[in-house]
Amino acid sequence: MRVHVVSDVHGNSRDLKRAGEGADALICLGDLVLFLDYADHSRGIFPDLFGVENAHRIVELRTARRFEEARAFGNRLWDGLDRNAAIESAVRRQYADLFAAFPTPTYATYGNVDIPKLWPEYAQPGTTVLDGERIEIGGRVFGFVGGGLRTPMRTPYEIDDEAFAAKIAALGEVDVLCTHIPPDVPELCYDTVARRFERGSAALLDAIRAIRPQYAFFGHVHQPLARRMRIGATECVNVGHFASTGTPWTLEW
């Protein structure tokens, strides 16, 4: 059995179309949407609406962790525009392209920048969406939990720690844990380029220690200090920033 795993697609439909080649299934751990590319400020919903110079400025503020200034700057740009309508229209265009690129079968969960309410409109019959749910693939039980935890960034699918923990608990014992965010371990949460800690889940870390799955897969942190780490019996793997690498992580058994 061969499964390919991707995360943080961020608009890369070109490579997503090839991500399932040679595999029995594809797993996607979310963040399909590209709102703003921190490496190329000309790409994404934000520069399409407001231009590259404004994208430069908001990246500068966010990277400096001046979140309130970044929010105020963004609010001035949005003044007079229907923010929700503009974003949803742009996201719909991206989702139409990205969901069409998924091979059959694909098992997917949401990232923190995704909009879950739109997924049922675009997920095709070969794509199974899971969040707080488990499924058997090739004789192994995979558990999926999507979304991120609350942050000053206020991305679309951030939930309370308690709600995230409840979804983890609902999985029960699994062979493979699949989440968008990492467990709350500093080396797995620190982004070496953004120079900040992203939020990881303490509940996920507790589950790894208690359930002892063979693997825990996640993304979210684009340039982590550590991409892999063993916690007890579990191999914890950041499957990579697929938007930039275009290469899936391979699991075989």
Side-chain angles (χ1 to χ4, degrees):
M1 191 75 184
R2 180 185 177 101
V3 172
H4 289 174
V5 191
V6 303
S7 186
D8 298 87
V9 176
H10 292 301
N12 187 353
S13 60
R14 180 192 63 189
D15 291 321
L16 189 60
K17 292 175 182 177
R18 301 192 294 266
E21 292 179 356
D24 297 292
L26 177 72
I27 289 174
C28 179
L29 303 182
D31 271 10
L32 299 184
V33 172
L34 178 60
F35 189 75
L36 177 57
D37 189 332
Y38 279 57
D40 181 352
H41 302 168
S42 68
R43 298 180 64 244
I45 294 171
F46 189 92
D48 286 349
L49 291 170
F50 302 117
V52 176
E53 290 304 315
N54 285 324
H56 288 330
R57 179 58 177 160
I58 204 161
V59 168
E60 179 183 43
L61 291 171
R62 287 179 175 178
T63 302
R65 302 187 65 80
R66 292 156 62 184
F67 295 117
E68 291 302 323
E69 289 181 65
R71 190 169 296 113
F73 176 70
N75 287 339
R76 289 195 296 272
L77 294 175
W78 283 108
D79 189 39
L81 297 175
D82 187 333
R83 181 193 301 230
N84 291 335
I87 290 177
E88 182 169 318
S89 177
V91 169
R92 283 181 177 278
R93 289 193 295 272
Q94 291 190 14
Y95 277 168
D97 189 34
L98 290 158
F99 277 92
F102 278 143
T104 297
T106 291
Y107 304 94
T109 196
Y110 317 112
N112 60 291
V113 302
D114 287 310
I115 303 178
K117 71 175 184 179
L118 298 181
W119 280 38
E121 297 183 40
Y122 295 95
Q124 300 179 11
T127 298
T128 303
V129 180
L130 302 131
D131 187 17
E133 300 163 283
R134 45 194 274 159
I135 196 165
E136 184 177 315
I137 305 172
R140 291 188 175 184
V141 178
F142 288 68
F144 290 77
V145 173
L149 299 175
R150 303 285 184 197
T151 73
M153 299 287 281
R154 299 182 185 177
T155 51
Y157 191 44
E158 294 181 354
I159 61 177
D160 294 335
D161 289 54
E162 296 77 12
F164 192 92
K167 290 195 292 184
I168 290 287
L171 297 178
E173 292 191 7
V174 297
D175 300 307
V176 183
L177 265 172
C178 298
T179 58
H180 177 67
I181 62 174
D184 188 15
V185 177
E187 294 89 339
L188 299 176
C189 294
Y190 187 73
D191 191 307
T192 60
V193 174
R195 293 182 295 178
R196 66 169 182 258
F197 288 97
E198 302 289 353
R199 286 210 63 194
S201 168
L204 174 58
L205 179 58
D206 290 344
I208 289 169
R209 288 170 171 161
I211 298 170
R212 297 167 58 86
Q214 186 173 1
Y215 290 98
F217 295 133
F218 49 87
H220 188 56
V221 183
H222 293 177
Q223 298 89 197
L225 185 62
R227 292 200 175 274
R228 298 180 69 160
M229 175 183 293
R230 181 165 287 277
I231 298 175
T234 304
E235 187 73 15
C236 299
V237 183
N238 184 318
V239 298
H241 182 207
F242 186 77
S244 63
T245 67
T247 303
W249 199 89
T250 299
L251 174 64
E252 293 182 301
W253 69 95

